């Protein structure tokens, strides 16, 4: 068992202070000394506080042990530090106890397991840190049990055959996850009073005998015996070095203080050197002793005996040679060599050695100060709590090293200690600024040569309550501040419902003078109760009540980041939010400016401890922040909850085909504008032939990029591609198809490359198209040339030429060039076709020759307003000159455009007029050589109407007409006439004759009784005349007999405002199949028909076609989708009014089959959904 630890403030035992303790701190070096001691000493486990020991001379007798109060000592600080993490777990804590030496005692701790899922972790400690689990054995046993009915864990610590050093402070700690509780208790081991034998310091620090049960333990029990404080009347001569060599390292500091050794570090170093094994010396028959000791002012003698007296001998002190003087005296006696040191001072405390030849012999000299005596002892003192106390004594020397003890425990000279030590020359004073009740004790002072003790008695003053606690009502989260004032400056304890309250990070306890304050910065519901302050050492309490009001609160711990809840479109959402508050708060939900009720697709359900938001068949429009608000008389709480409805993504935009090969292409696309609320995972790509309706999937693993390369296509076949976007919810609808494209390959080389003509600065080449052009077609040709003797090919045409003839200009005269031609299409350039021989750039004279086209060798006829574009090729080298004349006069270039080239001339009239008719003369000149040609151009127009039309005769059913030809024949011969008749009543014209060539005609089979008018159109190669000539008089076809008189009737008014005779009917349509809506309407004037969808006018939409025939109105919807559903309206409007009729259209989707839930469904029209949507 470890040694007991005593609390250094509460012990009341009347015992003398110990004679040996740690040396006082000198110049800040005590810490360094203490570290050196620990380094050089090999001690066993020690407790945290000092253990007092009797003086080595054993002259004082032990005093009887009185009742003492044990506490946790330094362990109290540990409990205070852990207080913030502690929660109550103990239902029964171990209590302090007392046992006689050799007796047994049991300590019990109980923990309730009602809220614990597993057994809590329990540890037993002795003192501050010693874990007793490792000390279990014969004298210590730890047990535990569990009662299932009461659900109580019981933990027991049994101490068997207790010893005196088992006494002290113990601690039991229990922990479970983040919960922690701790309890401290004391064990007192008592024995009957008896005389203690005299011991010295070496026998006091003995180890227990070998072979016993507790062998190996350090037995400090001898040091716990108390002895009377006496002046040391005389001390026997003691060899300190003998004590140090035989003592335990843990005793070094005590021995140093007792015998006045100030340089403890140097003492230990020299002791270490002394312990080294001394080797036999050939020069010294007898060497120096390991160490010598002398009092200050005394005389010391060093003596060695030489084996050879003739050897030269030298003495050294700390490495410096010693010369003879009044202080150092050398003496020779035979083989003996002696050194005397007179009047020793502290500077003589050093290492000495003597050399004889190459050998050396050393020793240590220690000079001891005389003992410090207590010349004036302490006096017993009585005082009141809170008063200043001073205990003074005087010693024999100024600034002597003095130690103070309280109940035998040394008092630290620490600025943080409540005990302050004041030194004024020979006077030493112990000061307590504010005495407390637990300062009742025996205080003693000890020097190296004496000691003194006195009793301090501290009594309480009568206590009065200056300011009592007041009842408080606080809101949850606000500060609880309890304050009271009493007449005395004493500590106290706070209680809640009878339970002691410890200070923690949440609970702050303040004491300043006579004022005590209890503060909780943020009140909780559990803080409600009865509070009480109890001053220490007084049988009085100050009570009050605290009432905590709980405002409403939303508990959103289960929601995601930023209070976001994700739901799949079409699914049902039921979001339950726990709420608290007393009284039960009123709950309201809203989205934007719209309040949510307890009915409908989006509704709320409210319970006493929670509120639910229910959304049936969630839609994308339901996404957004929903606001929940709680309110009761204590306050209100609000929160925004983000509802995120995720769906399949929108289809991407139509892909673009950026590059095409023989059987492949490269396509790119942009991600969809809306990812459905879930990140895009990848894409599926499909292709089809343009003329086909069957799409083929190209990738079975998702494409992560927005580019793809379809392969294995047929060259020359037009293809289209489309893209599907995929997220965690499913597959989007397909994108619009790309523009059609055709996989292409380059053509074969051009053929029959030959020279067409050569000038001084140009060469004209001609060739035939490639034998194999392929599906890519032919975009044009590239002509390249290089000069003979070089390899640099020059492109003659930066832009492709689609002709099979090209002139290379800007060539130096007399040079030779090589020429090649390449065919180009969408797939690239073909292999070149080379001209076999170099071409000399030098012009050859060629006589002019006009190659008049066949159709220009006869009259060239065009109608007025048409375009005249005549291309007339000619030959002639070099620099042929072309000129034109019209009817022998120069051509007006403002009316007729003439453009000449080296090989042809062009006559261009944008809009022909009759004045452009005539003979055009063309002349080509090359130096003195000339060639001519004439072109006859005739511009014709429709003729004018015939001249006067007269009715020559009327008989029976016949009428004879005659007329004159038109004055204007339109610059073309009249080819015929068209005769029309009209009944006088209706004046509707009907053709009687067409293409009639004469200027007189007889009209037969007229209706008897009708009266007719006649008109005639002239006709030439351009058509009928614009106007007709009508007879001025009518021709009446009379019948024989009585003339019938026709009755006169008023015209009937057929005007009517629009009226629908057949309304529209509600219709169901199938997605992907055309649908029609039909109705019928009447009205006069004929009404204008318009169609509307959801009250929006349908205009210029290719998906809709509108028909109206004989009053039947039809709206055709091409391949409708679910988005085309709605209310359609047909509106008829005329000048008398308007009418409307409407119907509802619902578009249904035909599903081919449902696969597993969560997997996509194939829809008619290649649309895709999820089975969860149903």
């Amino acid at each position: 068992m470890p040694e007991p630890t005593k609390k250094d403030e509460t012990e009341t035992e009347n015992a003398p202070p110990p004679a040996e303790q740690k040396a006082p701190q000198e110049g800040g070096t005590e810490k360094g000394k203490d570290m050196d001691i620990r380094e050089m000493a090999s001690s066993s486990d020690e407790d945290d506080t000092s253990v007092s020991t009797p003086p080595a001379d054993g002259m004082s007798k032990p005093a009887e042990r009185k009742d003492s109060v044990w506490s946790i000592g330094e362990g109290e600080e540990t409990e205070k530090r852990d207080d913030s993490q502690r929660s109550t777990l103990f239902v029964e804590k171990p209590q302090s106890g007392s046992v006689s030496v050799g007796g047994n005692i049991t300590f019990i701790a109980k923990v309730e397991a009602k809220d614990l899922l597993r057994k809590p972790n329990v540890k037993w400690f002795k003192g501050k840190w010693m874990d007793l689990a490792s000390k279990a054995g014969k004298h210590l046993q730890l047990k535990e049990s569990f009662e299932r009915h009461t659900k109580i864990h019981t933990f027991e610590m049994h101490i068997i055959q207790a010893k005196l050093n088992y006494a002290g402070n113990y601690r039991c700690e229990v922990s479970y996850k983040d919960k922690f509780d701790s309890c401290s208790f004391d064990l007192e081991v008592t024995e009957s009073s008896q005389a203690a034998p005299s011991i010295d310091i070496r026998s006091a620090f003995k180890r227990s005998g070998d072979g016993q049960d507790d062998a190996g333990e350090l037995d400090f029990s001898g040091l716990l015996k108390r002895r009377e404080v006496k002046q040391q009347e005389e001390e026997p001569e003691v060899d300190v070095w003998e004590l140090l060599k035989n003592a335990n390292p843990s005793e070094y500091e005590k021995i140093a203080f007792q015998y006045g050794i100030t340089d403890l570090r140097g003492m230990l170093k020299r002791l270490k050197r002394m312990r080294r094994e001394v080797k036999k010396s050939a020069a010294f028959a007898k060497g120096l002793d390991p160490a010598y000791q002398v009092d200050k002012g005394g005389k010391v003698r060093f003596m060695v005996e030489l084996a050879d007296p003739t050897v030269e001998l030298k003495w050294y002190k700390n490495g410096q040679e010693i010369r003879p003087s009044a202080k150092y005296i050398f003496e020779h006696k035979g083989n003996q060599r002696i050194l005397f040191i007179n009047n020793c001072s502290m500077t003589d405390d050093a290492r000495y050695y003597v050399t004889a030849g190459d050998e050396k012999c050393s020793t240590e000299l220690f000079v001891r100060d005389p003992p410090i005596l207590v010349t004036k002892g302490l006096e017993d003192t009585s005082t009141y709590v809170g008063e200043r106390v001073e205990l003074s004594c005087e010693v024999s020397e100024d600034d002597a090293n003095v130690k103070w003890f309280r109940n035998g425990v040394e008092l630290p000279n620490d600025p943080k200690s409540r005990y302050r030590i004041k030194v004024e020359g020979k006077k030493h004073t112990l000061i307590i600024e504010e005495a407390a009740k637990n300062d009742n004790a025996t205080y003693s002072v000890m020097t190296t040569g004496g000691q003194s003790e006195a009793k301090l008695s501290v009594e309480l003053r009568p206590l009065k309550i200056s300011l009592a606690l007041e009842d408080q009502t606080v809101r949850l989260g606000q500060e609880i501040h309890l304050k009271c004032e009493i007449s005395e400056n004493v500590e106290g304890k706070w209680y809640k419902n009878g339970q002691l309250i410890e200070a923690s990070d949440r609970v702050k306890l303040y004491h300043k003078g006579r004022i005590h304050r209890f503060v909780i910065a943020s009140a909780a519901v559990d803080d409600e109760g009865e509070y009480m302050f109890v001053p220490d050492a007084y049988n009085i309490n100050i009570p009050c009540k605290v009432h905590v009001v709980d405002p409403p609160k939303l508990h959103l711990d289960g929601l995601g980041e930023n209070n976001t809840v994700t739901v799949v479109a079409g699914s049902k959402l039921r979001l339950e939010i726990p709420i608290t508050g007393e009284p039960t708060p009123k709950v309201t939900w809203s989205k934007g400016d719209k309040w949510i009720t307890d009915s409908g697709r989006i509704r709320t359900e409210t319970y006493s401890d929670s509120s639910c938001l229910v959304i049936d068949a969630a839609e994308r429009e339901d996404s957004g922040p929903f606001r929940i608000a709680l309110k009761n008389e204590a306050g209100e709480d609000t929160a925004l909850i983000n509802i995120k409805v995720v769906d399949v993504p929108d289809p991407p935009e139509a892909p673009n085909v950026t590059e095409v090969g023989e059987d492949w292409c490269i396509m790119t696309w942009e991600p969809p504008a809306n990812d459905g609320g879930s990140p895009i995972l990848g894409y599926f790509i499909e292709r089809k032939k343009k003329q086909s309706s069957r799409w083929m999937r190209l990738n079975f693993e998702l494409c992560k990029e927005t580019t793809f390369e379809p392969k294995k296509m047929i060259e020359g076949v037009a293809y289209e591609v489309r893209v599907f976007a995929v997220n965690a919810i499913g597959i989007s609808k397909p994108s619009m198809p790309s523009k059609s494209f055709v996989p292409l390959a380059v053509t074969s080389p051009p053929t029959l490359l030959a020279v067409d003509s050569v000038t001084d600065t140009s060469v004209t080449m001609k060739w035939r198209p490639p034998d194999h052009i392929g599906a890519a077609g032919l975009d044009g040709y590239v002509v390249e040339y290089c000069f003979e003797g070089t390899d640099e090919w020059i492109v003659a045409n930066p832009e492709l030429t689609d002709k099979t003839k090209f002139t290379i200009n800007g060539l130096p005269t007399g040079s030779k060039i090589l020429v090649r031609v390449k065919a180009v299409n969408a797939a690239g350039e073909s292999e070149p076709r080379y001209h076999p021989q170099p071409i000399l750039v030098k012009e050859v004279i060629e006589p002019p020759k006009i190659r008049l086209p066949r159709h220009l060798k006869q009259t060239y006829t065009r109608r007025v307003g048409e375009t005249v574009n005549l291309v007339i090729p000619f030959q002639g080298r070099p620099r042929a000159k072309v000129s034109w004349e019209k009817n022998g006069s120069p051509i007006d270039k403002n009316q007729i455009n003439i453009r000449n080239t080296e090989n042809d001339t062009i006559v261009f009239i944008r809009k022909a007029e009759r004045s452009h008719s005539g003979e055009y003369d063309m002349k080509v000149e090359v130096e003195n050589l000339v060639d001519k040609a004439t072109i006859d151009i005739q511009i014709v127009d429709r003729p004018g109407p015939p001249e006067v039309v007269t009715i020559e005769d009327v008989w029976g059913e016949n009428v004879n007409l005659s007329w004159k030809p038109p004055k204007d024949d339109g610059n073309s011969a009249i080819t015929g006439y068209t005769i029309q008749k009209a009944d006088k009543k209706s004046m509707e014209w009907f053709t009687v004759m067409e293409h009639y060539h004469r200027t007189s005609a007889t009209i037969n089979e007229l209706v008897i009784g009708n009266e007719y008018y006649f008109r005639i159109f002239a006709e030439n190669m351009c058509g009928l005349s614009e106007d007709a000539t009508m007879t001025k008089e009518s021709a009446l076809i009379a019948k024989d007999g009585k003339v019938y008189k026709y009755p006169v009737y008023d015209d009937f008014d057929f005007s009517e405002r629009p009226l629908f005779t057949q309304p529209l009917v509600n219709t169901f349509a199938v997605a992907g199949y055309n649908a029609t809506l039909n109705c019928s309407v009447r009205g006069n004037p004929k009404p204008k028909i318009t169609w509307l969808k959801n009250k929006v006018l349908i205009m210029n939409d290719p998906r809709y076609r509108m028909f109206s025939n004989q009053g039947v109105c039809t709206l055709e919807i091409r391949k409708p989708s679910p988005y085309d559903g709605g209310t359609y309206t047909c509106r008829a409007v005329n000048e008398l009014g308007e009418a409307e009729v409407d119907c509802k259209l619902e578009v249904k989707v035909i599903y081919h089959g449902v696969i597993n839930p969560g997997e996509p469904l194939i829809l008619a029209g290649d649309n895709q959904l999820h089975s969860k949507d149903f």
Side-chain angles (χ1 to χ4, degrees), residues 358-422:
D358 295 335
E359 296 195 18
K360 180 170 67 172
C361 180
S362 62
T363 186
E364 296 283 348
L365 174 62
F366 292 90
V367 180
R368 184 174 65 172
D369 277 332
I372 306 300
L373 303 179
V374 179
T375 58
K376 182 179 178 181
L378 302 175
E379 295 180 356
D380 293 343
T381 305
S382 297
T383 187
Y384 286 109
V385 172
E387 296 291 336
R388 176 186 172 95
V389 178
E390 292 186 2
L391 300 176
S392 301
C393 70
E394 294 183 4
V395 295
S396 58
E397 291 189 11
D398 291 341
D399 299 327
N401 190 6
V402 173
K403 292 193 175 184
W404 290 86
F405 297 86
R406 178 182 182 276
N407 289 340
V409 179
E410 183 181 354
L411 297 178
N413 189 9
D414 189 348
K416 297 182 180 179
S417 174
R418 63 190 304 269
Y419 300 101
R420 187 162 59 88
I421 298 173
K422 181 179 178 183

Side-chain angles (χ1 to χ4, degrees), residues 513-540:
R514 298 177 298 170
I515 297 176
H516 294 264
R517 292 188 299 127
F518 174 94
V519 178
I520 297 178
S522 179
V525 177
D526 296 339
D527 293 329
E528 182 172 343
E530 295 184 359
Y531 288 78
M532 179 173 59
F533 176 73
V534 179
D536 288 348
Y538 288 93
N539 188 18
I540 188 173

Side-chain angles (χ1 to χ4, degrees), residues 683-699:
Y683 303 90
F684 285 123
I685 295 91
E686 292 185 350
R687 80 173 182 214
K688 76 175 183 69
K689 297 178 182 178
K690 184 177 180 180
Q691 303 302 327
S692 173
S693 61
R694 178 177 173 272
W695 290 90
M696 182 175 68
R697 177 69 56 84
L698 299 182
N699 62 320

Side-chain angles (χ1 to χ4, degrees), residues 655-722:
N656 294 321
V657 177
T658 59
E659 189 175 350
V660 177
E662 183 176 1
D663 63 346
W664 55 271
C665 73
I666 294 178
M667 57 182 289
T668 60
W669 62 92
E670 294 295 330
N674 188 341
D675 61 3
S678 180
I680 300 298
L681 301 179
Y683 303 90
F684 285 123
I685 295 91
E686 292 185 350
R687 80 173 182 214
K688 76 175 183 69
K689 297 178 182 178
K690 184 177 180 180
Q691 303 302 327
S692 173
S693 61
R694 178 177 173 272
W695 290 90
M696 182 175 68
R697 177 69 56 84
L698 299 182
N699 62 320
F700 295 96
E701 293 184 359
L702 287 177
C703 175
K704 305 294 184 180
E705 307 296 332
T706 56
T707 180
F708 188 76
E709 182 180 351
K711 296 181 179 179
K712 298 183 179 179
M713 292 182 284
I714 301 173
E715 182 184 2
V717 177
Y719 287 90
E720 293 177 347
V721 290
R722 66 182 183 182

Side-chain angles (χ1 to χ4, degrees), residues 100-118:
S100 300
V101 174
N104 301 336
I105 188 170
T106 300
F107 296 91
I108 299 176
K110 293 186 178 181
V111 178
E112 187 176 14
K114 181 172 65 176
D115 298 328
L116 308 182
L117 300 179
R118 56 178 176 80

